Amino acid sequence: MSTSFSRDDVREIRDRALAEDRPNDWFDPLYVAADGDRDCVPWSLDGAHPALKSWISERPVSQLFDLDRARAIVIGCGLGDDAEAIAKLGFDVTAFDVSPRAVAWCRDRFADSRVDYCVVDLLALDDAWRGRFDFAFECRTVQALPLSVRDRAIDAVASLVSEGGRLVVVTHTRPTEDAPDGPPWPLSPNELDRFSQSGLTKTWSRDFEKDGRSRCCTEFARSTVG
């Protein structure tokens, strides 16, 4: 992270939003403060997330989905690298973020992209989106939200997956239900299990560590009714 924009700056932006009961309103001020410097965005990576790359390489994507018509959604798309990687697989991709600045940044970075980048609040989804997508990708968005809205966020993510569709979740994890200090606020075993409480079944998972922190990449599938 740039020396001109520290982790303490991130916490200050976060704490101000939480104090005003605006749990997901700290993202846009952070992107604005970054002022076009990717190094100032804590979750920015050089390209798609390594866990997404691993999932693509390990799973038979062309067999799991009809890529001629499959629709994908990227939750909390950030600077757009994951959305672009998924679009290259052949999906018709919608990618959203609560931050208008992040979405504008994506559109500037990928001016010729066929990804539909849009400003949407995960905690206030349009009902028309529920059950609409064959593939949903959630990478470190839920963990950036406080525990007070965690169940709502997880339920909203799961609601996007269509019958027969799949969800991939990439997140930091914690071993107990004790409340963590954050951000990020890693997901607990019970919080990960909540993805399965809306008709989703775990179909694939990989655990990994980086910088002493536990992480996982987990695929869920929604069964087809009838």
PDB file of all heavy atoms in Angstrom, residues 18 23 142-154 174 176-182 184-188 191:
ATOM      1  N   LEU A  18     -19.104   2.998  10.036  1.00  0.00           N
ATOM      2  CA  LEU A  18     -19.766   2.113  10.991  1.00  0.00           C
ATOM      3  C   LEU A  18     -20.411   2.908  12.124  1.00  0.00           C
ATOM      4  O   LEU A  18     -21.484   2.548  12.617  1.00  0.00           O
ATOM      5  CB  LEU A  18     -18.763   1.105  11.555  1.00  0.00           C
ATOM      6  CG  LEU A  18     -18.193   0.088  10.571  1.00  0.00           C
ATOM      7  CD1 LEU A  18     -17.246  -0.870  11.275  1.00  0.00           C
ATOM      8  CD2 LEU A  18     -19.297  -0.677   9.869  1.00  0.00           C
ATOM      9  N   PRO A  23     -22.861   0.311   7.131  1.00  0.00           N
ATOM     10  CA  PRO A  23     -21.844  -0.744   7.122  1.00  0.00           C
ATOM     11  C   PRO A  23     -21.115  -0.960   5.807  1.00  0.00           C
ATOM     12  O   PRO A  23     -20.016  -1.498   5.799  1.00  0.00           O
ATOM     13  CB  PRO A  23     -22.632  -2.004   7.517  1.00  0.00           C
ATOM     14  CG  PRO A  23     -24.051  -1.697   7.158  1.00  0.00           C
ATOM     15  CD  PRO A  23     -24.207  -0.227   7.427  1.00  0.00           C
ATOM     16  N   VAL A 142     -18.042 -10.328   1.437  1.00  0.00           N
ATOM     17  CA  VAL A 142     -18.732 -10.586   2.705  1.00  0.00           C
ATOM     18  C   VAL A 142     -17.792 -10.345   3.881  1.00  0.00           C
ATOM     19  O   VAL A 142     -18.190  -9.775   4.906  1.00  0.00           O
ATOM     20  CB  VAL A 142     -19.308 -12.017   2.730  1.00  0.00           C
ATOM     21  CG1 VAL A 142     -19.869 -12.347   4.107  1.00  0.00           C
ATOM     22  CG2 VAL A 142     -20.388 -12.186   1.660  1.00  0.00           C
ATOM     23  N   GLN A 143     -16.537 -10.747   3.755  1.00  0.00           N
ATOM     24  CA  GLN A 143     -15.597 -10.589   4.863  1.00  0.00           C
ATOM     25  C   GLN A 143     -15.292  -9.115   5.148  1.00  0.00           C
ATOM     26  O   GLN A 143     -14.783  -8.785   6.225  1.00  0.00           O
ATOM     27  CB  GLN A 143     -14.288 -11.315   4.559  1.00  0.00           C
ATOM     28  CG  GLN A 143     -13.447 -10.640   3.483  1.00  0.00           C
ATOM     29  CD  GLN A 143     -12.099 -11.289   3.285  1.00  0.00           C
ATOM     30  OE1 GLN A 143     -11.971 -12.500   3.338  1.00  0.00           O
ATOM     31  NE2 GLN A 143     -11.072 -10.473   3.052  1.00  0.00           N
ATOM     32  N   ALA A 144     -15.588  -8.234   4.210  1.00  0.00           N
ATOM     33  CA  ALA A 144     -15.364  -6.807   4.409  1.00  0.00           C
ATOM     34  C   ALA A 144     -16.544  -6.119   5.075  1.00  0.00           C
ATOM     35  O   ALA A 144     -16.495  -4.911   5.331  1.00  0.00           O
ATOM     36  CB  ALA A 144     -15.066  -6.131   3.073  1.00  0.00           C
ATOM     37  N   LEU A 145     -17.602  -6.878   5.345  1.00  0.00           N
ATOM     38  CA  LEU A 145     -18.781  -6.346   6.012  1.00  0.00           C
ATOM     39  C   LEU A 145     -18.812  -6.822   7.458  1.00  0.00           C
ATOM     40  O   LEU A 145     -18.454  -7.965   7.749  1.00  0.00           O
ATOM     41  CB  LEU A 145     -20.051  -6.800   5.288  1.00  0.00           C
ATOM     42  CG  LEU A 145     -20.213  -6.264   3.864  1.00  0.00           C
ATOM     43  CD1 LEU A 145     -21.363  -6.979   3.163  1.00  0.00           C
ATOM     44  CD2 LEU A 145     -20.428  -4.760   3.872  1.00  0.00           C
ATOM     45  N   PRO A 146     -19.248  -5.978   8.397  1.00  0.00           N
ATOM     46  CA  PRO A 146     -19.248  -6.353   9.808  1.00  0.00           C
ATOM     47  C   PRO A 146     -20.237  -7.474  10.107  1.00  0.00           C
ATOM     48  O   PRO A 146     -21.167  -7.734   9.335  1.00  0.00           O
ATOM     49  CB  PRO A 146     -19.643  -5.053  10.515  1.00  0.00           C
ATOM     50  CG  PRO A 146     -20.388  -4.267   9.487  1.00  0.00           C
ATOM     51  CD  PRO A 146     -19.746  -4.598   8.175  1.00  0.00           C
ATOM     52  N   LEU A 147     -20.040  -8.130  11.249  1.00  0.00           N
ATOM     53  CA  LEU A 147     -20.867  -9.275  11.608  1.00  0.00           C
ATOM     54  C   LEU A 147     -22.336  -8.903  11.758  1.00  0.00           C
ATOM     55  O   LEU A 147     -23.210  -9.760  11.608  1.00  0.00           O
ATOM     56  CB  LEU A 147     -20.356  -9.907  12.912  1.00  0.00           C
ATOM     57  CG  LEU A 147     -19.282 -10.988  12.756  1.00  0.00           C
ATOM     58  CD1 LEU A 147     -18.027 -10.435  12.087  1.00  0.00           C
ATOM     59  CD2 LEU A 147     -18.922 -11.617  14.100  1.00  0.00           C
ATOM     60  N   SER A 148     -22.632  -7.640  12.013  1.00  0.00           N
ATOM     61  CA  SER A 148     -24.022  -7.223  12.211  1.00  0.00           C
ATOM     62  C   SER A 148     -24.876  -7.396  10.962  1.00  0.00           C
ATOM     63  O   SER A 148     -26.105  -7.493  11.058  1.00  0.00           O
ATOM     64  CB  SER A 148     -24.063  -5.754  12.658  1.00  0.00           C
ATOM     65  OG  SER A 148     -23.467  -4.910  11.681  1.00  0.00           O
ATOM     66  N   VAL A 149     -24.236  -7.443   9.783  1.00  0.00           N
ATOM     67  CA  VAL A 149     -24.993  -7.634   8.538  1.00  0.00           C
ATOM     68  C   VAL A 149     -24.546  -8.892   7.808  1.00  0.00           C
ATOM     69  O   VAL A 149     -24.911  -9.099   6.643  1.00  0.00           O
ATOM     70  CB  VAL A 149     -24.857  -6.407   7.606  1.00  0.00           C
ATOM     71  CG1 VAL A 149     -25.447  -5.170   8.262  1.00  0.00           C
ATOM     72  CG2 VAL A 149     -23.406  -6.170   7.200  1.00  0.00           C
ATOM     73  N   ARG A 150     -23.781  -9.747   8.475  1.00  0.00           N
ATOM     74  CA  ARG A 150     -23.183 -10.896   7.803  1.00  0.00           C
ATOM     75  C   ARG A 150     -24.226 -11.854   7.237  1.00  0.00           C
ATOM     76  O   ARG A 150     -24.122 -12.283   6.082  1.00  0.00           O
ATOM     77  CB  ARG A 150     -22.268 -11.621   8.804  1.00  0.00           C
ATOM     78  CG  ARG A 150     -21.482 -12.822   8.280  1.00  0.00           C
ATOM     79  CD  ARG A 150     -20.508 -12.475   7.197  1.00  0.00           C
ATOM     80  NE  ARG A 150     -19.618 -11.376   7.438  1.00  0.00           N
ATOM     81  CZ  ARG A 150     -18.437 -11.459   8.065  1.00  0.00           C
ATOM     82  NH1 ARG A 150     -18.027 -12.610   8.567  1.00  0.00           N
ATOM     83  NH2 ARG A 150     -17.674 -10.410   8.191  1.00  0.00           N
ATOM     84  N   ASP A 151     -25.252 -12.196   8.030  1.00  0.00           N
ATOM     85  CA  ASP A 151     -26.270 -13.139   7.544  1.00  0.00           C
ATOM     86  C   ASP A 151     -27.009 -12.579   6.338  1.00  0.00           C
ATOM     87  O   ASP A 151     -27.271 -13.298   5.362  1.00  0.00           O
ATOM     88  CB  ASP A 151     -27.262 -13.484   8.653  1.00  0.00           C
ATOM     89  CG  ASP A 151     -26.663 -14.404   9.703  1.00  0.00           C
ATOM     90  OD1 ASP A 151     -25.524 -14.887   9.507  1.00  0.00           O
ATOM     91  OD2 ASP A 151     -27.325 -14.636  10.736  1.00  0.00           O
ATOM     92  N   ARG A 152     -27.347 -11.292   6.390  1.00  0.00           N
ATOM     93  CA  ARG A 152     -28.035 -10.660   5.257  1.00  0.00           C
ATOM     94  C   ARG A 152     -27.174 -10.716   4.000  1.00  0.00           C
ATOM     95  O   ARG A 152     -27.677 -10.989   2.904  1.00  0.00           O
ATOM     96  CB  ARG A 152     -28.348  -9.203   5.580  1.00  0.00           C
ATOM     97  CG  ARG A 152     -29.513  -8.973   6.532  1.00  0.00           C
ATOM     98  CD  ARG A 152     -29.637  -7.490   6.841  1.00  0.00           C
ATOM     99  NE  ARG A 152     -29.845  -6.685   5.636  1.00  0.00           N
ATOM    100  CZ  ARG A 152     -29.604  -5.376   5.570  1.00  0.00           C
ATOM    101  NH1 ARG A 152     -29.131  -4.735   6.630  1.00  0.00           N
ATOM    102  NH2 ARG A 152     -29.848  -4.720   4.444  1.00  0.00           N
ATOM    103  N   ALA A 153     -25.894 -10.462   4.177  1.00  0.00           N
ATOM    104  CA  ALA A 153     -24.993 -10.456   3.023  1.00  0.00           C
ATOM    105  C   ALA A 153     -24.864 -11.850   2.415  1.00  0.00           C
ATOM    106  O   ALA A 153     -24.908 -12.014   1.187  1.00  0.00           O
ATOM    107  CB  ALA A 153     -23.627  -9.923   3.434  1.00  0.00           C
ATOM    108  N   ILE A 154     -24.698 -12.856   3.258  1.00  0.00           N
ATOM    109  CA  ILE A 154     -24.570 -14.233   2.765  1.00  0.00           C
ATOM    110  C   ILE A 154     -25.844 -14.667   2.055  1.00  0.00           C
ATOM    111  O   ILE A 154     -25.796 -15.265   0.969  1.00  0.00           O
ATOM    112  CB  ILE A 154     -24.217 -15.184   3.917  1.00  0.00           C
ATOM    113  CG1 ILE A 154     -22.803 -14.883   4.437  1.00  0.00           C
ATOM    114  CG2 ILE A 154     -24.340 -16.645   3.489  1.00  0.00           C
ATOM    115  CD1 ILE A 154     -22.426 -15.638   5.693  1.00  0.00           C
ATOM    116  N   ARG A 174     -11.881 -17.948   9.873  1.00  0.00           N
ATOM    117  CA  ARG A 174     -11.432 -18.015  11.259  1.00  0.00           C
ATOM    118  C   ARG A 174     -11.944 -19.318  11.858  1.00  0.00           C
ATOM    119  O   ARG A 174     -12.997 -19.831  11.433  1.00  0.00           O
ATOM    120  CB  ARG A 174     -11.901 -16.807  12.055  1.00  0.00           C
ATOM    121  CG  ARG A 174     -13.415 -16.697  12.276  1.00  0.00           C
ATOM    122  CD  ARG A 174     -13.759 -15.368  12.976  1.00  0.00           C
ATOM    123  NE  ARG A 174     -15.079 -15.350  13.584  1.00  0.00           N
ATOM    124  CZ  ARG A 174     -16.207 -15.002  12.978  1.00  0.00           C
ATOM    125  NH1 ARG A 174     -16.170 -14.643  11.691  1.00  0.00           N
ATOM    126  NH2 ARG A 174     -17.362 -15.003  13.634  1.00  0.00           N
ATOM    127  N   THR A 176     -13.138 -20.125  14.908  1.00  0.00           N
ATOM    128  CA  THR A 176     -14.179 -20.115  15.940  1.00  0.00           C
ATOM    129  C   THR A 176     -15.245 -19.090  15.593  1.00  0.00           C
ATOM    130  O   THR A 176     -15.133 -18.338  14.609  1.00  0.00           O
ATOM    131  CB  THR A 176     -13.583 -19.765  17.319  1.00  0.00           C
ATOM    132  OG1 THR A 176     -13.216 -18.361  17.325  1.00  0.00           O
ATOM    133  CG2 THR A 176     -12.350 -20.620  17.615  1.00  0.00           C
ATOM    134  N   GLU A 177     -16.285 -19.039  16.450  1.00  0.00           N
ATOM    135  CA  GLU A 177     -17.349 -18.064  16.274  1.00  0.00           C
ATOM    136  C   GLU A 177     -17.054 -16.755  16.994  1.00  0.00           C
ATOM    137  O   GLU A 177     -17.872 -15.827  16.965  1.00  0.00           O
ATOM    138  CB  GLU A 177     -18.675 -18.649  16.782  1.00  0.00           C
ATOM    139  CG  GLU A 177     -19.114 -19.908  16.065  1.00  0.00           C
ATOM    140  CD  GLU A 177     -19.233 -19.730  14.560  1.00  0.00           C
ATOM    141  OE1 GLU A 177     -19.825 -18.724  14.125  1.00  0.00           O
ATOM    142  OE2 GLU A 177     -18.720 -20.589  13.815  1.00  0.00           O
ATOM    143  N   ASP A 178     -15.906 -16.648  17.639  1.00  0.00           N
ATOM    144  CA  ASP A 178     -15.543 -15.411  18.325  1.00  0.00           C
ATOM    145  C   ASP A 178     -15.459 -14.263  17.320  1.00  0.00           C
ATOM    146  O   ASP A 178     -14.967 -14.431  16.206  1.00  0.00           O
ATOM    147  CB  ASP A 178     -14.197 -15.556  19.032  1.00  0.00           C
ATOM    148  CG  ASP A 178     -14.246 -16.579  20.159  1.00  0.00           C
ATOM    149  OD1 ASP A 178     -15.361 -16.871  20.630  1.00  0.00           O
ATOM    150  OD2 ASP A 178     -13.170 -17.081  20.545  1.00  0.00           O
ATOM    151  N   ALA A 179     -15.925 -13.092  17.746  1.00  0.00           N
ATOM    152  CA  ALA A 179     -15.925 -11.938  16.860  1.00  0.00           C
ATOM    153  C   ALA A 179     -14.491 -11.473  16.599  1.00  0.00           C
ATOM    154  O   ALA A 179     -13.727 -11.264  17.545  1.00  0.00           O
ATOM    155  CB  ALA A 179     -16.742 -10.811  17.476  1.00  0.00           C
ATOM    156  N   PRO A 180     -14.111 -11.311  15.333  1.00  0.00           N
ATOM    157  CA  PRO A 180     -12.761 -10.863  15.005  1.00  0.00           C
ATOM    158  C   PRO A 180     -12.671  -9.346  14.931  1.00  0.00           C
ATOM    159  O   PRO A 180     -13.679  -8.652  14.836  1.00  0.00           O
ATOM    160  CB  PRO A 180     -12.536 -11.477  13.625  1.00  0.00           C
ATOM    161  CG  PRO A 180     -13.899 -11.430  13.004  1.00  0.00           C
ATOM    162  CD  PRO A 180     -14.892 -11.640  14.124  1.00  0.00           C
ATOM    163  N   ASP A 181     -11.455  -8.854  14.965  1.00  0.00           N
ATOM    164  CA  ASP A 181     -11.210  -7.443  14.712  1.00  0.00           C
ATOM    165  C   ASP A 181     -10.954  -7.282  13.218  1.00  0.00           C
ATOM    166  O   ASP A 181     -10.304  -8.122  12.605  1.00  0.00           O
ATOM    167  CB  ASP A 181      -9.994  -6.959  15.514  1.00  0.00           C
ATOM    168  CG  ASP A 181      -9.745  -5.474  15.338  1.00  0.00           C
ATOM    169  OD1 ASP A 181     -10.729  -4.736  15.109  1.00  0.00           O
ATOM    170  OD2 ASP A 181      -8.576  -5.052  15.432  1.00  0.00           O
ATOM    171  N   GLY A 182     -11.477  -6.240  12.638  1.00  0.00           N
ATOM    172  CA  GLY A 182     -11.288  -6.096  11.204  1.00  0.00           C
ATOM    173  C   GLY A 182     -11.409  -4.654  10.755  1.00  0.00           C
ATOM    174  O   GLY A 182     -11.517  -3.764  11.602  1.00  0.00           O
ATOM    175  N   PRO A 184     -10.193  -7.180   7.431  1.00  0.00           N
ATOM    176  CA  PRO A 184     -11.392  -7.971   7.143  1.00  0.00           C
ATOM    177  C   PRO A 184     -11.899  -8.675   8.394  1.00  0.00           C
ATOM    178  O   PRO A 184     -11.161  -8.809   9.378  1.00  0.00           O
ATOM    179  CB  PRO A 184     -10.890  -8.986   6.114  1.00  0.00           C
ATOM    180  CG  PRO A 184      -9.446  -9.185   6.483  1.00  0.00           C
ATOM    181  CD  PRO A 184      -8.965  -7.830   6.922  1.00  0.00           C
ATOM    182  N   TRP A 185     -13.143  -9.126   8.332  1.00  0.00           N
ATOM    183  CA  TRP A 185     -13.731  -9.934   9.384  1.00  0.00           C
ATOM    184  C   TRP A 185     -13.893 -11.349   8.813  1.00  0.00           C
ATOM    185  O   TRP A 185     -14.907 -11.657   8.175  1.00  0.00           O
ATOM    186  CB  TRP A 185     -15.085  -9.376   9.804  1.00  0.00           C
ATOM    187  CG  TRP A 185     -15.031  -8.036  10.454  1.00  0.00           C
ATOM    188  CD1 TRP A 185     -14.797  -7.768  11.774  1.00  0.00           C
ATOM    189  CD2 TRP A 185     -15.250  -6.748   9.833  1.00  0.00           C
ATOM    190  NE1 TRP A 185     -14.842  -6.409  12.012  1.00  0.00           N
ATOM    191  CE2 TRP A 185     -15.112  -5.761  10.843  1.00  0.00           C
ATOM    192  CE3 TRP A 185     -15.525  -6.340   8.530  1.00  0.00           C
ATOM    193  CZ2 TRP A 185     -15.262  -4.397  10.582  1.00  0.00           C
ATOM    194  CZ3 TRP A 185     -15.663  -4.975   8.261  1.00  0.00           C
ATOM    195  CH2 TRP A 185     -15.532  -4.033   9.281  1.00  0.00           C
ATOM    196  N   PRO A 186     -12.889 -12.226   8.991  1.00  0.00           N
ATOM    197  CA  PRO A 186     -12.935 -13.558   8.362  1.00  0.00           C
ATOM    198  C   PRO A 186     -14.206 -14.327   8.718  1.00  0.00           C
ATOM    199  O   PRO A 186     -14.783 -14.134   9.796  1.00  0.00           O
ATOM    200  CB  PRO A 186     -11.691 -14.251   8.934  1.00  0.00           C
ATOM    201  CG  PRO A 186     -10.773 -13.130   9.290  1.00  0.00           C
ATOM    202  CD  PRO A 186     -11.668 -12.020   9.767  1.00  0.00           C
ATOM    203  N   LEU A 187     -14.634 -15.199   7.822  1.00  0.00           N
ATOM    204  CA  LEU A 187     -15.848 -15.973   8.044  1.00  0.00           C
ATOM    205  C   LEU A 187     -15.581 -17.143   8.980  1.00  0.00           C
ATOM    206  O   LEU A 187     -14.536 -17.788   8.905  1.00  0.00           O
ATOM    207  CB  LEU A 187     -16.418 -16.488   6.712  1.00  0.00           C
ATOM    208  CG  LEU A 187     -17.385 -15.536   5.999  1.00  0.00           C
ATOM    209  CD1 LEU A 187     -16.670 -14.284   5.536  1.00  0.00           C
ATOM    210  CD2 LEU A 187     -18.065 -16.221   4.836  1.00  0.00           C
ATOM    211  N   SER A 188     -16.549 -17.414   9.833  1.00  0.00           N
ATOM    212  CA  SER A 188     -16.480 -18.529  10.780  1.00  0.00           C
ATOM    213  C   SER A 188     -17.062 -19.782  10.143  1.00  0.00           C
ATOM    214  O   SER A 188     -17.699 -19.716   9.080  1.00  0.00           O
ATOM    215  CB  SER A 188     -17.280 -18.185  12.036  1.00  0.00           C
ATOM    216  OG  SER A 188     -18.678 -18.188  11.738  1.00  0.00           O
ATOM    217  N   GLU A 191     -20.748 -19.319   9.586  1.00  0.00           N
ATOM    218  CA  GLU A 191     -21.056 -18.386   8.503  1.00  0.00           C
ATOM    219  C   GLU A 191     -20.851 -19.036   7.142  1.00  0.00           C
ATOM    220  O   GLU A 191     -21.652 -18.832   6.222  1.00  0.00           O
ATOM    221  CB  GLU A 191     -20.200 -17.129   8.661  1.00  0.00           C
ATOM    222  CG  GLU A 191     -20.648 -16.263   9.828  1.00  0.00           C
ATOM    223  CD  GLU A 191     -19.628 -15.236  10.251  1.00  0.00           C
ATOM    224  OE1 GLU A 191     -18.441 -15.336   9.844  1.00  0.00           O
ATOM    225  OE2 GLU A 191     -20.006 -14.322  11.013  1.00  0.00           O
TER     226      GLU A 191
END
